[in-house]
């Protein structure tokens, strides 16, 4: 089979290597506009469950990933400068660039033709010259836009603004920090992803954003402002920029997942708000799910129908949880009056995937403290 893939992110690379591993005769080309070492952002996280899927599907990449990642089981909620720790939430973090390098090396080892620094703007020719055409080209997918009328995407732009920084302050565990000042309310999502660096994402509502005057601030001024807001948390460390800029999260959905021999994967197909930390997980699991469908038949049309049938309900469930989760952050201003323990409880149960009983099993001490505080 000849397979053309647009996008060498986690979805495109992992799908390419799984298919090549399953059948070395497949001719697979990945077109990636960036160089191997270019990347945006800092670290990404995934859950225990994702790791077990990775192990089952490709032991080599699994071992390299687990060799380079940071693991934790705590979520720390910081509100009114008080830290509440909730245990029993296993996650791991890895630098996005490290993850990409591992997947790139494995692709090369298996014989996938990854063409870096190759921007694709005209996709129809590439689509016509292969058996399977994959749009794994991220949130602004050219493939999705080109076949817009068939995929029928909906793009829902959220209210809050967020910006993705790094910092040398090491946050052990997922740390969710809230602060209010004269401009409004700020939330930070932070976690250590290697021995020296943490991801530090800041988000705020549009009112806070305009009150703070970010619209006319330079990158350095923005960082300086936020370093003051989070001074007690950063302990003198700076925020580090990597093409960081304020953006609004976009919820992507597609009414149809394929068109003739073309399918979308990862962020091109769907997004789920970063507060449930699942973008990379879903991208990798999409690749696994599509590869699994090819284990039953080589009939592309049949495979793509089966992929949508099996995978869509899973994605919809995540998107629902992510929607509930982002709601908490978009309305944080209305919850700031809560004491730290009830605030942390509300935050932990926001997506409805975790409830009181579940939390009690994960961390009985936290629930005991929450109840003692009056609930
Ligand atoms: C602030 C923020 C925080 C996040 N935090 C997390 C987190 O904690 N955990 C997590 O799992 N995920 C997180 N994510 C999401 C994660 O980065 C994405 O969901 C994930 O990378 C999706 O993988 P993908 O392969 O579908 O797309 P991408 O990683 O976006 O890869 C797409 C690739 O396609 C290439 N490309 C695009 N167009 C073209 C073209 N025309 N020609 C050639 N190449 C092209 C791009 O260069 C890119 O390399 C976060 C995202 C953001 C914005």
């Amino acid at each position: 089979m000849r397979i053309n893939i647009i996008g060498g992110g986690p979805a495109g690379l992992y799908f390419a290597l799984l298919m090549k591993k399953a059948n070395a005769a497949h001719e697979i080309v990945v077109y990636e506009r960036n160089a191997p070492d270019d990347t945006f952002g800092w670290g990404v996280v995934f859950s225990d469950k994702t790791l077990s899927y990775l192990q089952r599907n490709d032991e080599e990449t699994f071992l390299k990933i687990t060799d380079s990642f940071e693991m934790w089981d705590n979520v720390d909620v910081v509100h009114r400068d008080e830290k509440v720790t909730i245990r029993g939430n296993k996650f791991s973090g890895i630098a996005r660039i490290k993850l990409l390098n591992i997947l790139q090396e494995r692709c090369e080892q298996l014989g996938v033709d990854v063409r870096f620094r190759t921007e694709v703007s005209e996709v129809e020719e590439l689509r016509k010259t292969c058996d399977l055409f994959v749009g794994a080209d991220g949130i602004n997918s050219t493939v999705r836009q080109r076949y817009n009328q068939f995929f029928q995407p909906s793009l829902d732009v959220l209210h809050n603004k967020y910006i993705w920084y790094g910092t040398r302050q090491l946050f052990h565990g997922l740390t969710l920090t809230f602060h209010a000042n004269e401009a409004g309310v700020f939330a930070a999502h932070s976690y250590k992803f290697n021995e020296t660096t943490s991801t530090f994402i800041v988000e705020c509502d549009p009112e806070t954003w305009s009150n703070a005057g970010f619209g006319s601030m330079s990158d350095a001024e923005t960082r300086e402002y936020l370093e003051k807001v989070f001074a007690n948390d950063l302990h003198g460390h700076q925020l580090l920029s990597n093409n960081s800029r304020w953006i609004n999260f976009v919820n992507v959905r597609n009414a149809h997942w394929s068109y003739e021999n073309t399918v979308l994967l990862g962020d091109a197909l769907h997004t789920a708000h970063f507060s449930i930390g699942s973008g990379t997980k879903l991208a990798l699991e999409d690749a696994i799910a599509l590869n699994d469908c090819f284990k039953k038949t080589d009939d592309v049309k049949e495979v793509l129908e089966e992929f949508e049938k099996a995978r869509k309900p899973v994605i919809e469930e995540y998107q629902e949880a992510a929607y509930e989760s982002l709601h908490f952050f978009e309305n944080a201003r209305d919850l700031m009056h809560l004491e730290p323990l009830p605030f942390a409880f509300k935050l932990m149960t926001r997506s409805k995937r975790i409830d009181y009983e579940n939390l009690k099993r994960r961390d009985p001490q936290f629930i005991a403290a929450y109840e003692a505080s009056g609930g």
Side-chain angles (χ1 to χ4, degrees), residues 32-40 96-97 100-101 104 117:
E32 169 53 51
R33 69 170 157 222
N34 289 335
D37 279 329
D38 290 350
T39 190
F40 65 86
R96 178 179 156 92
I97 186 65
L100 290 179
N101 289 159
Q104 289 159 1
R117 301 180 189 86

Side-chain angles (χ1 to χ4, degrees), residues 6-13 31-34 38 40 43-46 96 100 118-121 123 136-143 162-164 191 199 201 247 249 265-272 274 276-284 286:
I6 312 301
L13 292 173
Y31 298 87
E32 169 53 51
R33 69 170 157 222
N34 289 335
D38 290 350
F40 65 86
V44 296
V45 297
F46 25 71
R96 178 179 156 92
L100 290 179
T118 311
E119 167 107 34
V120 173
S121 47
V123 295
D137 48 349
I139 195 158
N140 298 314
S141 173
T142 304
V143 177
Y162 72 93
I163 190 160
W164 202 358
Y191 48 87
T199 288
I201 303 166
I247 38 180
F249 192 85
L265 281 191
D267 275 8
L269 182 59
H270 50 67
T271 56
F274 58 85
I276 65 164
S278 56
T280 305
K281 160 206 165 72
L282 293 180
L284 294 169
D286 277 359

Side-chain angles (χ1 to χ4, degrees), residues 69-194:
F69 72 176
E70 293 289 322
M71 258 183 113
W72 64 82
D73 95 324
N74 59 306
V75 173
D76 288 351
V77 179
V78 181
H79 172 45
R80 300 188 181 168
D81 283 326
E82 204 177 294
K83 183 163 88 178
V84 176
T85 296
I86 305 104
R87 302 215 164 265
N89 307 283
K90 278 204 181 132
F91 267 95
S92 38
I94 186 169
R96 178 179 156 92
I97 186 65
K98 183 77 202 170
L99 174 67
L100 290 179
N101 289 159
I102 291 170
L103 300 179
Q104 289 159 1
E105 274 166 30
R106 183 75 174 128
C107 278
E108 195 187 337
Q109 187 186 55
L110 290 165
V112 174
D113 178 2
V114 185
R115 301 187 188 167
F116 294 104
R117 301 180 189 86
T118 311
E119 167 107 34
V120 173
S121 47
E122 188 32 72
V123 295
E124 181 64 3
E125 192 53 35
L126 285 175
R127 185 178 86 80
K128 284 200 295 205
T129 51
C130 65
D131 303 297
L132 175 68
F133 187 57
V134 182
D137 48 349
I139 195 158
N140 298 314
S141 173
T142 304
V143 177
R144 188 185 67 223
Q145 286 172 37
R146 175 66 177 78
Y147 305 111
N148 193 45
Q149 81 244 51
F150 303 107
F151 290 117
Q152 295 181 7
S154 64
L155 307 180
D156 180 16
V157 181
L158 303 185
H159 295 296
N160 273 11
K161 298 262 186 202
Y162 72 93
I163 190 160
W164 202 358
Y165 288 121
T167 176
R168 299 287 176 220
Q169 169 64 26
L170 298 180
F171 294 92
H172 303 273
L174 173 63
T175 307
L176 300 167
T177 307
F178 295 79
H179 286 300
N181 72 1
E182 61 293 342
V185 172
F186 297 86
H189 309 239
S190 50
Y191 48 87
K192 172 183 166 188
F193 64 84
N194 65 22

Side-chain angles (χ1 to χ4, degrees), residues 249-263:
F249 192 85
V250 181
N251 264 332
V252 176
R253 287 185 172 81
N254 281 275
H256 304 287
W257 283 24
S258 62
Y259 157 60
E260 294 186 348
N261 66 340
T262 305
V263 67

